[in-house]
Amino acid sequence: MKSKLQSIFLSIQFKIFTYYIRWILKVRTEVRSVIFRRLYLDACELFPNNELVINSDLASSVTQELLELEIFNLDVDEESVKSLIASVDTDGWVNQNIANYHRLTAFYYSYGNSGNLHTEQVEGAMLKAQKRLLNCDELDEDGIKKLYKDVKQEKKLLRKRIGSSNKQRVEQEKRELISPITITATHFSVALTLVSTLFVISGFLYTKSFFYWFDVNVGDFYTVQDYLSSSIDVVSSTAFSAFIGLLSIAIGLSKAWSDELHDGQFDVTERRKNYMWPFILITSALGLAVSVYTTGMWPNIFIFPLILSLSMYLYFRLPIWNYIENRAPVGIACLVVLFFFMHLGFKVKENVEGVIYDNYEPRYSIALESKFQNIQISLI
């Protein structure tokens, strides 16, 4: 019984020892990480025209050299390595953290070292630390805890600075790839003409399409002024929806392009995995199938993502774009028209279904007097 308890006690003690040793190594890895991040930022400032992957490899090589570790065989320019080392050689923050790295190494070898088995490694690590920071002492447990807390805060700040630096580099590459756009009076004229044309056409198409479902020939009742009046109500909501849709796509395309440029800067060849859009499409398809099977209705909320995806997939894959030189302005104009009429179609569908499927109550009712006073005409 006594031997069993001793065995359990020793097992628990060993697990605690192992856990603590791993924690020390984790803190040391965090110190090494913040040194690398700081050197990466310095490399980006020294060599702003380098690709980010080159500056990353440069920072990695210098980190290995400053910490006196085994240097990986990275393809970096030796002159750049020397320049980066010279720029940080007298940096107090870098030297402090290099010393902390070696002090942690010394503590790692000295912890639980009752037989002085690793005295040589402890002394060697402390000598390396004192080369960077004179009169530095060995760390104790409280010192390591405080160091770990400080390193976590520093890592968080460096992550923000690196994100901002990388974003600026990507935006710089964007500006290099895209020439500044010159907007002239002609562009305004074309835009106003397009808006005016859509304004006139939308009223006619909406009225014609809506009453078609009720076998009403609007040409027998409507004049040009009636179409224009109808277009006012239709354009306001349709144009707003189309604007929001185009804005969302523009933001999505801009982010996708930024991600592509960012991956190019870091020489990443594997495509990013985006599960959000496939999830939306699968959910929409299943929701539409269930709705059609159970109610016979085709809800817009399920149809729109499917039509939008198909449209965007086929849009610039049409053969006609091979024969158009200025594809950007023509493509944007066509996209505006496409979105406008897509939303117009959904508006017609929604209002028709509101009359057919819902418990529809006419907005207006006309009561005729004289001999027709018992006749009421409901207006859609």
Side-chain angles (χ1 to χ4, degrees), residues 259-276:
D259 290 342
E260 184 176 347
L261 293 176
H262 181 275
D263 291 345
Q265 284 287 329
F266 283 102
D267 201 20
V268 177
T269 56
E270 184 179 354
R271 294 181 63 86
R272 292 171 180 254
K273 295 181 179 179
N274 186 0
Y275 298 101
M276 179 59 69

Side-chain angles (χ1 to χ4, degrees), residues 71-180:
I71 299 178
F72 299 113
N73 187 22
L74 296 175
D75 186 16
V76 294
D77 180 56
E78 290 299 326
E79 292 300 322
S80 298
V81 171
K82 292 178 182 178
S83 298
L84 182 57
I85 291 176
S87 70
V88 301
D89 199 39
T90 57
D91 190 304
W93 185 94
V94 174
N95 287 319
Q96 175 71 59
N97 280 279
I98 292 174
N100 289 337
Y101 179 88
H102 293 303
R103 293 166 75 194
L104 285 165
T105 302
F107 187 88
Y108 166 76
Y109 282 112
S110 65
Y111 184 73
N113 185 19
S114 57
N116 296 324
L117 297 175
H118 303 291
T119 302
E120 184 179 346
Q121 288 87 341
V122 173
E123 291 178 352
M126 286 305 300
L127 284 175
K128 292 177 181 179
Q130 289 167 0
K131 282 170 56 179
R132 293 289 173 174
L133 191 65
L134 295 176
N135 302 323
C136 64
D137 299 324
E138 294 185 15
L139 288 169
D140 54 17
E141 294 184 15
D142 292 335
I144 293 178
K145 290 178 181 178
K146 182 179 183 304
L147 175 61
Y148 184 51
K149 182 179 179 181
D150 294 341
V151 166
K152 285 176 64 178
Q153 293 178 349
E154 191 68 35
K155 185 178 180 180
K156 185 177 181 181
L157 293 174
L158 287 171
R159 185 186 296 116
K160 290 182 179 179
R161 289 181 59 190
I162 289 174
S164 176
S165 176
N166 291 348
K167 184 177 180 180
Q168 289 179 4
R169 183 67 180 86
V170 170
E171 291 299 323
Q172 177 185 342
E173 187 174 359
K174 272 187 181 180
R175 290 192 294 270
E176 292 173 355
L177 293 174
I178 302 177
S179 302

